[in-house]
Amino acid sequence: MNEMKDVITISELAKLMQVSVHQIRYFEEKGVLHPAFTGENQYRMYGMNEVYRLAHILLLRKMGLSVQVIQDCLSHLTAEQIMPIFRQALTDTEAEIRRLRDTKHFIEKLLEKKESISQKSIQTEGGAYSIIHRDEVSLSLWFEMQDAESLGAQRLVEHRGNISNLFEADIHYVYNDSGTIGLYTQEENRQSDLILPTGSYLSCTLFVQNEERIAKTIQEFYAYAEEKGYLCSGPLIMVEKSYLSLFTPDQLHYELLSYVSNPEAE
């Protein structure tokens, strides 16, 4: 009789365990949790056994285990059989921590790059041109295409296996005298195919919706350099930072760069 009185409703159980009534009913539908009994008023009632049972279910769910695996752990698996399941849960959790750490670094990079662009635009009168210092950058060739060729979805499919986290990376378009464009990235654990030297670079940031605007901006870029007396050497580099388009979804962000040997020219 005392056990019949020392029970709580499903709402009270949900509040105690800080979960929703819906979650408890879901576990019941899956057969991993059952009420102690159902009263004459059709209320589900739960005692201490069910409280502990739900606590164990929630702990196993916290490890990322499926309902079926939880059912196995709580019904017939031995401690020796459960151990490898928990070890795998630990491995999966460590992988998730690495993923979250990478996501954190990406968000930090995103905010830092946007802040840098905003400051550059404020400091430059009449446009987004500026002389910047860049440390040496080692680049790995992704693939090449013709100058008149457009980068299309089919090309991305053809070369998809070469770059990890493609749309989080800076894609360097390097314009060669031969009429080809090399697409390069800073990929770790890959050979260096091109090195951009330490030094001063003329930089121009732009947000564009079509390639015609890019071609026009390149002309304006060289005209600006000639007007200021900058001696541009080496290939023209266009850096695509597609992730910055999260701030302007209808436009892609690019930066034009050219090494200048006389940055003090006016």
Side-chain angles (χ1 to χ4, degrees):
M1 181 66 69
N2 289 337
E3 292 183 0
M4 295 288 288
K5 291 183 178 180
D6 190 18
V7 292
I8 56 178
T9 65
I10 191 170
S11 297
E12 291 171 327
L13 178 62
K15 290 179 181 179
L16 174 66
M17 306 302 291
Q18 299 182 26
V19 296
S20 67
V21 170
H22 174 76
Q23 282 181 284
I24 296 175
R25 287 177 175 163
Y26 171 77
F27 294 140
E28 291 184 357
E29 289 172 4
K30 295 300 180 179
V32 294
L33 179 68
H34 300 285
F37 65 91
T38 301
E40 294 180 0
N41 54 8
Q42 299 304 306
Y43 283 5
R44 296 179 175 87
M45 307 304 295
Y46 305 84
M48 280 302 298
N49 287 340
E50 291 69 46
V51 170
Y52 282 119
R53 176 84 173 188
L54 179 56
H56 292 160
I57 292 170
L58 295 175
L59 288 173
L60 293 171
R61 286 292 275 180
K62 193 173 185 177
M63 296 184 195
L65 302 184
S66 68
V67 172
Q68 181 57 58
V69 173
I70 292 173
Q71 175 73 288
D72 294 341
C73 288
L74 297 181
S75 59
H76 63 272
L77 294 186
T78 65
E80 289 71 22
Q81 292 172 318
I82 291 174
M83 285 290 285
I85 294 175
F86 287 1
R87 289 194 184 98
Q88 183 59 50
L90 177 59
T91 298
D92 294 342
T93 299
E94 289 170 341
E96 179 66 8
I97 290 172
R98 289 193 295 271
R99 187 193 69 79
L100 290 173
R101 187 180 293 115
D102 289 344
T103 300
K104 174 179 178 289
H105 290 163
F106 169 69
I107 296 172
E108 290 173 343
K109 169 187 172 182
L110 183 66
L111 294 172
E112 180 183 346
K113 295 270 188 179
K114 183 62 174 70
E115 183 70 20
S116 174
I117 292 170
S118 300
Q119 290 176 354
K120 184 187 301 182
S121 300
I122 291 170
Q123 294 169 1
T124 306
E125 295 181 3
Y129 294 94
S130 61
I131 296 293
I132 62 173
H133 175 83
R134 282 170 58 98
D135 294 329
E136 180 180 283
V137 176
S138 297
L139 299 176
S140 299
L141 180 64
W142 184 16
F143 65 89
E144 291 183 331
M145 63 183 190
Q146 295 300 311
D147 192 355
E149 187 181 353
S150 297
L151 178 61
Q154 188 61 45
R155 273 300 186 98
L156 294 181
V157 171
E158 291 173 2
H159 300 279
R160 65 188 183 277
N162 296 347
I163 304 297
S164 59
N165 300 323
L166 172 61
F167 294 102
E168 296 179 21
D170 289 353
I171 307 299
H172 292 68
Y173 295 71
V174 179
Y175 290 74
N176 302 309
D177 295 335
S178 60
T180 61
I181 301 175
L183 276 68
Y184 295 79
T185 62
Q186 294 175 262
E187 283 289 295
E188 296 183 2
N189 303 321
R190 291 184 62 192
Q191 69 176 17
S192 176
D193 299 305
L194 177 66
I195 295 178
L196 303 182
T198 299
S200 298
Y201 288 76
L202 176 61
S203 168
C204 174
T205 60
L206 61 149
F207 288 87
V208 300
Q209 292 178 306
N210 54 64
E211 293 186 0
E212 289 75 13
R213 178 57 187 160
I214 294 176
K216 182 178 179 181
T217 302
I218 290 175
Q219 294 177 350
E220 295 171 349
F221 180 84
Y222 280 120
Y224 178 87
E226 183 177 357
E227 176 189 343
K228 295 296 184 180
Y230 297 135
L231 297 179
C232 296
S233 60
L236 175 69
I237 304 153
M238 183 174 70
V239 186
E240 177 185 318
K241 305 174 182 178
S242 62
Y243 50 86
L244 285 175
S245 296
L246 291 170
F247 295 103
T248 55
D250 59 337
Q251 298 175 317
L252 280 176
H253 177 273
Y254 295 92
E255 180 182 15
L256 293 178
L257 293 167
S258 180
Y259 183 87
V260 291
S261 55
N262 59 336
E264 301 303 324
E266 290 293 341

